[in-house]
Amino acid sequence: MNLGKPIAKGNTATMYKVNGKMVKVFNQNLDATYVEYEAAKQRIVYQTSLFVPEVIELTKVEGKQAIIMEYIEGKTLGELFQENGEQVRRYLEQSIDVQKTIHQITSTKSLEKMSEKLTRQIHEASLLSKDQKRECLMLLNSIFDGDTLCHGDLHLFNLIQTSTKEIAIIDWIDASMGDARADVCRSYLLYTQHSVELAELYLEIYCDRSGKTKEDILQWLPVIAAARLSEHVQTEDSKRLVQYVESAFS
């Protein structure tokens, strides 16, 4: 397969457009189990009313695991934001409307439970002490309330707007069934990595459009930060994640 030049690159994979299809080629160290896990989640969500690319085939490309899927023509809301920064509120509003639509879906029961996913991740957070993990787990168990579809990684660059203004949702590896407030807190945390101002604007708009309060969302911050530590994302500042936990339980 002649891949040509990549069109996008993420933490775990590089994307190519080949013969009208999207080919997602995973990093060398990722095995078939991980790729099957991601494809299975996307196939489950594809069966809902959401606009999600169809998974066509799992294969190997140049010795690496790969997923071939439907190619969605368009630009991400993140790319549009970079081109038209003054329209940031509009793009955040669009993303929040999509996120609220995701949270209305309760039919994807075969996805893993968010509480189990977060518990596993917190246990794997090697930078936290046993006491910090215990505090995070106690908080998780006390505030968890929900059984709706959650994307787990929703931000402007995971939403593609087509020429007809429809918005496709990509990258479902972190999806689970759980508490919508935790999903929103995860988006907030991801935005703070790049801009606290952007994160605060996102949270303000979400609260205005949902009736939730900032306290509703931000009570999840130490739990979500602790779980994020287990992902070992190279571009993430692990010290700031630890600080979120420390400040919550000091």
Side-chain angles (χ1 to χ4, degrees):
M1 181 184 295
N2 183 15
L3 294 173
K5 293 183 179 179
I7 60 174
K9 185 176 178 62
N11 292 319
T12 60
T14 304
M15 277 61 73
Y16 303 85
K17 183 180 180 182
V18 181
N19 298 326
K21 303 290 191 298
M22 173 69 77
V23 181
K24 185 171 186 176
V25 181
F26 290 83
N27 298 343
Q28 188 71 56
N29 60 330
L30 291 176
D31 61 23
T33 302
Y34 178 94
V35 178
E36 290 166 2
Y37 176 70
E38 175 168 339
K41 283 191 174 186
Q42 188 161 322
R43 281 172 167 154
I44 290 169
V45 181
Y46 178 76
Q47 298 300 319
T48 71
S49 58
L50 298 173
F51 183 12
V52 177
E54 181 181 9
V55 173
I56 298 170
E57 180 185 1
L58 275 65
T59 186
K60 271 194 169 186
V61 176
E62 299 177 355
K64 300 176 183 178
Q65 302 295 328
I67 299 176
I68 300 176
M69 66 184 80
E70 176 186 4
Y71 177 78
I72 306 296
E73 187 73 50
K75 290 185 177 181
T76 67
L77 294 186
E79 290 171 321
L80 293 173
F81 163 59
Q82 289 177 333
E83 295 172 2
N84 306 280
E86 71 281 0
Q87 296 292 320
V88 59
R89 176 175 286 271
R90 171 188 165 196
Y91 299 131
L92 286 174
E93 287 174 348
Q94 287 179 287
S95 74
I96 288 165
D97 287 344
V98 171
Q99 194 165 31
K100 289 176 63 183
T101 300
I102 293 171
H103 294 160
Q104 292 172 4
I105 294 175
T106 59
S107 59
T108 49
K109 301 298 184 183
S110 55
L111 284 175
E112 68 179 323
K113 296 183 182 299
M114 177 190 285
S115 57
E116 295 175 0
K117 180 176 185 287
L118 291 175
T119 296
R120 182 183 70 251
Q121 290 178 311
I122 291 169
H123 279 302
E124 294 172 353
S126 59
L127 293 180
L128 298 180
S129 68
K130 289 183 179 180
D131 286 345
Q132 288 171 327
K133 292 179 183 181
R134 177 176 53 80
E135 293 280 6
C136 286
L137 291 171
M138 288 176 60
L139 178 59
L140 166 61
N141 292 329
S142 68
I143 63 177
F144 189 88
D145 181 23
D147 192 24
T148 63
L149 176 61
C150 296
H151 183 278
D153 193 29
L154 198 76
H155 51 75
L156 296 178
F157 285 94
N158 277 340
L159 298 168
I160 300 174
Q161 182 172 280
T162 69
S163 59
T164 61
K165 305 303 181 183
E166 290 183 287
I167 297 179
I169 315 161
I170 61 174
D171 286 353
W172 287 90
I173 183 63
D174 293 305
S176 64
M177 296 298 292
D179 193 318
R181 299 171 303 169
D183 197 42
V184 174
C185 189
R186 166 78 173 192
S187 295
Y188 171 84
L189 180 66
L190 294 174
Y191 284 131
T192 62
Q193 182 182 353
H194 304 286
S195 167
V196 173
E197 182 181 21
L198 182 66
E200 292 295 337
L201 180 58
Y202 160 77
L203 188 57
E204 174 191 316
I205 297 171
Y206 178 84
C207 290
D208 285 346
R209 294 171 94 87
S210 69
K212 300 293 184 184
T213 67
K214 289 187 177 181
E215 291 74 21
D216 286 332
I217 308 304
L218 294 182
Q219 65 180 329
W220 276 96
L221 195 53
V223 173
I224 300 302
R228 174 79 166 164
L229 280 167
S230 72
E231 298 174 23
H232 304 293
V233 178
Q234 291 183 352
T235 56
E236 178 63 270
D237 181 0
S238 59
K239 290 183 179 179
R240 82 183 187 101
L241 298 178
V242 172
Q243 286 174 354
Y244 281 127
V245 177
E246 289 178 340
S247 62
F249 304 119
S250 58

